[in-house]
Amino acid sequence: QQPVQSPQAVILREGEDAVINCSSSKALYSVHWYRQKHGEAPVFLMILLKGGEQKGHDKISASFNEKKQQSSLYLTASQLSYSGTYFCGTRGGLGIQGAQKLVFGQGTRLTINP
Amino acid sequence: DAMVIQNPRYQVTQFGKPVTLSCSQTLNHNVMYWYQQKSSQAPKLLFHYYDKDFNNEADTPDNFQSRRPNTSFCFLDIRSPGLGDAAMYLCATSRRSFGQGGDEQFFGPGTRLTVL
């Protein structure tokens, strides 16, 4: 079942902060975050594997609330290069085969203006 | 540099004319995926290979087939493309994940398919 992302689109000025949420009606075993720029392939940002886990690099970080079945991606002091569509992905099934698959949310389009 | 390569980058075909898209990887990853992505939508998994084991998604049309002759190469065959099959086709790879979380997926640049 596809996770739900919110908001669907965000427009910011450079230097502003953004939060993108990803939630699921099913239990989440992990959450993956990817960014896709227009006309390009998705690029991996990070995986969160455990409830309560937080990760980050540069000014992009994420948290994972396993009990609430949701994850949030935080972009701090946004840069022009952060523009793109952000997808969360959740595990697509059970077992070894399921662990390899991702079901992506519908995406959040982030536009950073100068 | 280790990478995922897709050929061609752009493919134009006629309605009903079979087409094959190719993907190769130098990452030596066990798992390879094919996704279909339509404009402003999320990538949708068509199938994946876990080593040689082929795993088809339940809602992938029979019109789509795949081959993985060896670890490095994977092909997507569309037997009779329809107008609705026009999309970006993304190939991705990952290491085998034994845990519940899965592993990072590395995407190729994609092949944009146009059906006339």
Side-chain angles (χ1 to χ4, degrees), chain A residues 48-112:
Chain A
L48 298 107
L49 297 175
K50 300 177 184 177
E53 185 174 13
Q54 293 187 338
K55 277 191 177 179
H57 59 85
D58 199 5
K59 294 180 180 177
I60 300 175
S61 62
S63 64
F64 177 24
N65 189 324
E66 191 175 14
K67 290 183 179 178
K68 291 186 177 180
Q69 298 172 184
Q70 67 184 33
S71 175
S72 296
L73 185 72
Y74 306 93
L75 299 102
T76 305
S78 58
Q79 306 169 15
L80 295 176
S81 62
Y82 290 178
S83 291
T85 301
Y86 289 78
F87 293 99
C88 68
T90 59
R91 200 185 82 175
L94 298 175
I96 293 293
Q97 298 299 347
Q100 318 303 325
K101 303 187 332 180
L102 285 179
V103 178
F104 286 99
Q106 80 277 22
T108 296
R109 178 173 290 184
L110 178 64
T111 303
I112 310 294

Side-chain angles (χ1 to χ4, degrees), chain A residues 35-47:
Chain A
R35 176 172 62 209
Q36 185 176 30
K37 293 185 179 287
H38 182 69
E40 299 181 9
V43 174
F44 172 79
L45 294 176
M46 63 190 80
I47 296 177

Side-chain angles (χ1 to χ4, degrees), chain A residues 30 32 47 49 91 99-102, chain B residues 95 97 99-104:
Chain A
S30 65
H32 300 221
I47 296 177
L49 297 175
R91 200 185 82 175
Q100 318 303 325
K101 303 187 332 180
L102 285 179
Chain B
R95 288 177 289 260
S97 173
Q100 295 194 23
D103 206 351
E104 172 185 357

